[in-house]
Amino acid sequence: MGIVTAEKFHLFKEKIFSLQLPLSDYDLLNSTFLLQKDEKKKLEVYYTSKLALFFT
């Protein structure tokens, strides 16, 4: 998977705005924001944006 562009933001916007502060790791590192998982490489890729990073 390449870099996820801003065009995916609309898919996650409502979910991001529904997060309650303060955030925990589980708030962002769960199936809601999971983009890709590779068991073989033990790699998980999660969606994030500048907006989400602002709240962490």
Side-chain angles (χ1 to χ4, degrees):
M1 171 178 269
I3 295 173
V4 178
T5 61
E7 65 196 39
K8 291 253 184 193
F9 178 72
H10 74 280
L11 300 173
F12 294 95
K13 181 179 178 180
E14 192 172 315
K15 295 173 185 176
I16 291 169
F17 283 122
S18 72
L19 294 171
Q20 299 293 313
L21 297 176
L23 295 174
S24 68
D25 289 345
Y26 180 75
D27 293 327
L28 299 172
L29 303 176
N30 63 49
S31 60
T32 302
F33 297 105
L34 183 64
L35 292 173
Q36 183 178 15
K37 185 173 185 173
D38 188 330
E39 295 286 340
K40 193 186 237 182
K41 295 179 182 178
K42 297 183 180 179
L43 176 69
E44 295 178 343
V45 178
Y46 293 86
Y47 179 81
T48 187
S49 70
K50 291 178 184 175
L51 179 63
L53 291 174
F54 173 78
F55 288 120
T56 58

